[in-house]
Amino acid sequence: MQSEMQLLKRYDSVLERIQTACLKSGRKTDDVKLLAVTKYALAQDIYTLLTNRKVPFIAESRLQESLIKWGQPPLSALKPIKFFIGQLQSNKIAKILTDFDIICSIDSLKLAQRINTQSEKLAKAATCLLQIKLTQKQTQGGVSMGEAAKLIADIRQQCPAVKLAGIMAIAPQTGDAEQLRPLFKEVKKFFDDNFEQDAYLSLGMSEDFEVAVQEGSNLPRIGSAIFG
Ligand SMILES: *Cc1c(COP(=O)(O)O)cnc(C)c1O
């Protein structure tokens, strides 16, 4: 556990940096929501943050760990809107659908069809983001930008219970966020061509969220810059 004050200060400073990035690029600060990534954070720290600040959304990537963490006190008393940002395994989809509000990592028609089937069983529409792959890393999920438009069309046509609500992408680690600007611009253009303005464009993490927000991200996902 860390001092509550340090934690809240780091959170406030991330919010300020988002606001500054909005001002610099002429965007309304209200249009950008912070997705607090709690996957590595201690339950007590998450509790402190959520009970002291209006945190709109949280994100987890590991199903089992998150079920345990959020299923017992103190976090079981809180009901934030939860995003699943991990890679999807088809045998866990029913559980993820039950426990999470938004799934951020659809990257194939097969997964979308599985989600569609489970959603229909649960009689609950599945709000999902399409994960676009921006790196060459074998282990990283996502569909390439070249294949994404076709996948979006297929999902919209074949998976009525899947509500595609936007895009999520993880940028390559460069050590210099400025280098990512052209890539973020490219994703924003793709987003504009394929989604309504009020859809989610989730770009940017602790290392690169200011550039991502300047280039149009409306849902930066931030873990370590908040929780250390
Ligand atoms: C862990 C994670 C993040 C947050 O990363 P930080 O660098 O700690 O901000 C964002 N998005 C995804 C998909 C993640 O897995």
Side-chain angles (χ1 to χ4, degrees):
M1 214 195 337
Q2 49 194 326
S3 111
E4 291 196 3
M5 242 172 62
Q6 270 177 1
L7 172 67
L8 298 176
K9 230 168 105 180
R10 271 206 303 269
Y11 179 79
D12 293 343
S13 133
V14 165
L15 279 187
E16 265 175 44
R17 288 165 63 192
I18 290 175
Q19 285 169 0
T20 306
C22 285
L23 288 176
K24 265 194 184 169
S25 51
R27 305 186 61 196
K28 277 190 269 173
T29 53
D30 283 353
D31 292 347
V32 181
K33 297 279 183 287
L34 169 60
L35 179 49
V37 177
T38 52
K39 66 182 179 201
Y40 296 135
L42 296 174
Q44 190 54 53
D45 288 340
I46 302 170
Y47 188 81
T48 298
L49 181 63
L50 269 58
T51 49
N52 283 281
R53 294 292 184 271
K54 267 205 184 115
V55 180
F57 308 126
I58 68 94
E60 289 279 346
S61 66
R62 297 188 194 152
L63 179 63
Q64 293 311 330
E65 281 177 31
S66 90
L67 287 176
I68 294 169
K69 200 160 66 176
W70 290 90
Q72 63 192 19
L75 294 184
S76 52
L78 306 177
K79 297 275 171 279
I81 295 179
K82 283 157 106 180
F83 286 62
F84 185 79
I85 54 173
Q87 283 194 32
L88 294 169
Q89 289 165 281
S90 24
N91 59 340
K92 294 185 176 157
I93 283 174
K95 267 221 161 80
I96 293 173
L97 275 175
T98 311
D99 203 59
F100 287 83
D101 301 285
I102 300 188
I103 297 177
C104 296
S105 36
I106 287 196
D107 59 2
S108 72
L109 184 57
K110 211 163 159 186
L111 274 173
Q113 285 166 334
R114 292 242 162 92
I115 293 173
N116 191 63
T117 306
Q118 291 296 338
S119 298
E120 286 177 343
K121 268 194 204 158
L122 295 165
K124 177 187 168 192
T127 304
C128 299
L129 309 188
L130 191 78
Q131 184 176 351
I132 290 185
K133 182 165 171 160
L134 302 177
T135 68
Q136 306 301 325
K137 262 203 244 163
Q138 286 277 322
T139 51
Q140 198 157 82
V143 59
S144 72
M145 232 178 316
E147 292 165 307
K150 164 116 176 45
L151 180 55
I152 292 170
D154 287 346
I155 294 172
R156 284 178 177 156
Q157 202 170 40
Q158 298 178 37
C159 305
V162 173
K163 302 289 170 224
L164 266 192
I167 287 174
M168 188 271 270
I170 303 170
Q173 280 183 319
T174 59
D176 173 17
E178 201 52 51
Q179 282 181 22
L180 296 170
R181 197 179 289 280
L183 192 57
F184 288 145
K185 271 191 209 295
E186 205 183 324
V187 182
K188 170 72 159 89
K189 164 121 187 25
F190 179 84
F191 173 77
D192 288 342
D193 290 345
N194 289 278
F195 289 91
E196 301 291 331
Q197 278 307 305
D198 62 352
Y200 290 120
L201 176 58
S202 184
L203 298 173
M205 311 186 1
S206 292
E207 297 299 316
D208 55 24
F209 69 88
E210 285 153 303
V211 176
V213 167
Q214 285 171 21
E215 294 305 328
S217 170
N218 57 26
L219 190 68
R221 308 175 307 274
I222 303 177
S224 50
I226 298 171
F227 294 102

